């Protein structure tokens, strides 16, 4: 079976071209993107948080799965990188772009929890993890990617990933599953068990 997606967001070619022009190489992997679209589609009227907009490829996948009543907040530290996403996707009323440090945003956020949290950057994954998990609604999903070792990882990064996975799997308030697929994923769903 071929596990590559057969449907793509219409904005993806423009976002990829802009990413190449900007030298941005950390965009959302296609299989991860297709999973994001499916998870967003499973949240009708949902509240979705993306930590790490980048140039907006993950954002485009999320928007492609969302219904008209859903809303996405996407946070990115690098305003110049996020500008690509704003220019291509900013006319969609379902998305709010925030140019701010993800850790600071997580600490200061005081609104409702989210049905889906996609942590695609350091804050919400390797830092501010507890705060990110607090923002996942009951029955909501927390997803992280980029967990498969890469040649350009710093020396201590693999150990940090192993600690993160162990911490998440030990939690009583989330059911989690590792997926050795795409760039390496972990999906966790908040349960009422805690």
């Amino acid at each position: 079976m071929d596990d590559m997606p057969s449907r793509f967001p219409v904005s993806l070619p423009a976002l990829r071209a802009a990413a190449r022009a900007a030298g941005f190489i950390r965009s959302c992997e296609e299989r991860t993107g297709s999973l994001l679209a499916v998870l967003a589609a499973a949240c009708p009227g949902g509240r979705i948080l993306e930590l790490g907009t980048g140039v907006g490829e993950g954002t485009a996948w999320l928007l492609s799965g969302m219904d008209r009543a859903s809303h996405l907040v996407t946070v990115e530290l690098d305003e110049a990188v996020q500008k690509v996403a704003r220019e291509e996707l900013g006319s969609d009323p379902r998305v709010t772009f925030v140019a701010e440090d993800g850790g600071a945003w997580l600490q200061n956020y005081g609104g409702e929890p989210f049905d889906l949290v996609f942590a695609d950057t350091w804050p919400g994954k390797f830092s501010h993890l507890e705060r990110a998990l607090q923002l996942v609604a009951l029955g909501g999903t927390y997803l992280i990617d980029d967990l498969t070792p890469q040649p350009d990882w710093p020396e201590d990064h693999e150990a940090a990933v192993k600690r993160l996975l162990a911490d998440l799997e030990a939690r009583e308030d989330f059911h989690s599953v590792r997926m050795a697929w795409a760039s390496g994923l972990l999906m966790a769903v908040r349960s009422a068990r805690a």
Side-chain angles (χ1 to χ4, degrees), residues 40-41 43-46 48 62-71 94:
C43 302
I48 299 169
L62 287 163
L63 289 168
S64 74
M66 291 166 46
D67 67 8
R68 293 183 190 274
S70 294
H71 188 76
R94 300 172 300 162

Side-chain angles (χ1 to χ4, degrees), residues 5 10-11 17-18 27 31 49 51 65 68 70 73-74 76 83 98 103 109 138 140 144 148 168 172-173 179 182:
V10 295
S11 56
S27 289
R31 290 171 295 176
L49 173 62
L51 297 165
R68 293 183 190 274
S70 294
V73 176
T74 183
E76 172 63 45
K83 183 178 182 223
V98 178
Y109 177 75
L138 186 64
I144 53 178
T148 299
L168 286 167
E172 293 292 321
D173 52 344
M179 294 178 276

Side-chain angles (χ1 to χ4, degrees), residues 29-109:
E29 197 271 346
E30 289 179 352
R31 290 171 295 176
T32 301
S34 67
L35 178 61
L36 290 173
V38 168
L39 292 173
C43 302
R47 297 177 41 76
I48 299 169
L49 173 62
E50 177 185 36
L51 297 165
T53 312
V55 297
E57 289 190 37
T59 309
W61 283 104
L62 287 163
L63 289 168
S64 74
M66 291 166 46
D67 67 8
R68 293 183 190 274
S70 294
H71 188 76
L72 167 64
V73 176
T74 183
V75 182
E76 172 63 45
L77 174 63
D78 188 336
E79 193 168 355
V81 169
Q82 191 188 60
K83 183 178 182 223
V84 173
R86 286 177 186 264
E87 289 174 355
E88 186 64 34
L89 305 169
S91 64
D92 191 320
R94 300 172 300 162
V95 63
T96 299
F97 291 96
V98 178
E100 183 178 345
D101 175 77
W105 187 89
L106 285 166
Q107 289 303 114
N108 294 324
Y109 177 75

Side-chain angles (χ1 to χ4, degrees), residues 4-23:
M4 295 305 286
S6 58
R7 293 171 45 185
F8 298 87
V10 295
S11 56
L12 209 55
L15 291 168
R16 286 181 174 166
R20 280 191 303 276

